[in-house]
Amino acid sequence: MLLNLKTIHKPATLAEALTLLQRAGTFPLYGGAALQRNPRPDVEAVVDLSQIGLGRAWDEGDLLHLGSMLTLERVRLICQERGQTYPLLGGVAEALRADLPETLRNTFTLGDLLVERDPQSFALTLLLALDAAIVTADESVWPLADWLSSGDDAWRVLVTHVSVPRGATRAAVAFEKVSRTPADAPIVGAVTAMQITAEGRRTALALCGVAPWPLAQPEAARAFDQSGEVNAALERLALDPPSDHWGSREYRTEMARVLTRRALLAAAEKVQ
């Protein structure tokens, strides 16, 4: 509950929304789920973004652009439709389904997902592996890795859309996790996206549950592409996970290695 919320603004234009967000204590409202799940005492006013055209998706070049006001269920359907041709987008649809049940996917928007920055989200972990970029109202482009590590100020930035590379037509995504039960969020998770292009195999790897936000592992992915050996990738993992009541640093490190092996092998088998 937002105990100090006093005002809900409903601008008709992007320019009006930006002017309102200059006021102290004012936050963008993408749908409300993220703020409800993370109640903040500094929220005194919110800017409802539903009337300013951020609920659409469009293709441009090799990118799929997804508006920040799209529900996650709508994003899932959009990616699923394109997944027949572009398997990496099909993987995004699978990741969203794994993250949240349908009732919550119809409540959460893409903007909610981005500002909440759930460190256990498979969808965010895959978008990170795919080199997705955040585009804000001032036309700044943030690599997702920078956005995830940007700190508390991200809550007040107005995100207009996310740009996701569609990838090659010969590609595959693999997810692996360890969790309390099969239905639970990962304690540690690994996501691999693998493409076969004219230049050869290109692998992307990202982990969740090993840091306060998902982490890409480009050196490990590069080592796998160059050698074709899983052990070479494991040697290049950059890991310094925390310890908490779900798992010690040693446990998370070992699980990251086990899950990375499984994800790499699974993606390689799928893409054959």
Side-chain angles (χ1 to χ4, degrees), residues 20-198:
L20 291 166
L21 287 169
Q22 300 305 307
R23 302 175 183 176
T26 304
F27 288 71
L29 186 71
Y30 295 98
L35 285 174
Q36 290 291 342
R37 298 210 320 175
N38 301 269
R40 303 174 57 99
D42 54 342
V43 177
E44 298 180 1
V46 294
V47 178
D48 183 339
L49 305 174
S50 61
Q51 301 300 310
I52 61 175
L54 304 182
R56 66 189 187 98
W58 69 101
D59 296 281
E60 182 181 28
D62 62 352
L63 297 173
L64 170 62
H65 301 296
L66 297 162
S68 59
M69 286 297 290
L70 288 166
T71 67
L72 294 185
E73 178 60 10
R74 183 64 187 136
V75 172
R76 188 189 71 81
L77 292 173
I78 289 167
C79 291
Q80 181 176 274
E81 290 168 1
R82 289 160 173 78
Q84 298 289 336
T85 304
Y86 300 104
L88 298 186
L89 295 181
V92 174
E94 293 174 16
L96 288 167
R97 185 172 56 188
D99 269 352
L100 294 167
E102 184 175 358
T103 51
L104 288 180
R105 293 197 303 270
N106 280 308
T107 303
F108 263 67
T109 65
L110 184 56
D112 284 323
L113 179 74
L114 294 171
V115 297
E116 185 177 57
R117 293 179 295 179
D118 182 353
Q120 297 172 295
S121 168
F122 261 149
L124 280 179
T125 306
L126 177 55
L127 289 173
L128 176 64
L130 297 182
D131 290 328
I134 311 300
V135 183
T136 59
D138 63 358
E139 299 185 354
S140 296
V141 179
W142 296 52
L144 185 55
D146 293 346
W147 175 266
L148 293 173
S149 61
S150 64
D152 203 51
D153 288 344
W155 283 90
R156 297 196 64 211
V157 175
L158 201 169
V159 176
T160 58
H161 62 278
V162 180
S163 298
V164 185
R166 289 193 301 245
T169 56
R170 184 180 172 192
V173 170
F175 309 89
E176 296 289 340
K177 71 173 182 177
V178 59
S179 56
R180 188 178 59 174
T181 73
D184 283 334
I187 297 171
V188 180
V191 175
T192 295
M194 196 173 292
Q195 307 178 63
I196 305 298
T197 69

Side-chain angles (χ1 to χ4, degrees), residues 240-259:
D240 186 19
S243 293
D244 59 20
H245 62 287
W246 293 114
S248 66
R249 179 182 184 278
E250 293 74 19
Y251 172 78
R252 290 178 186 272
T253 298
E254 183 58 27
M255 287 302 98
R257 293 174 59 82
V258 169
L259 298 172

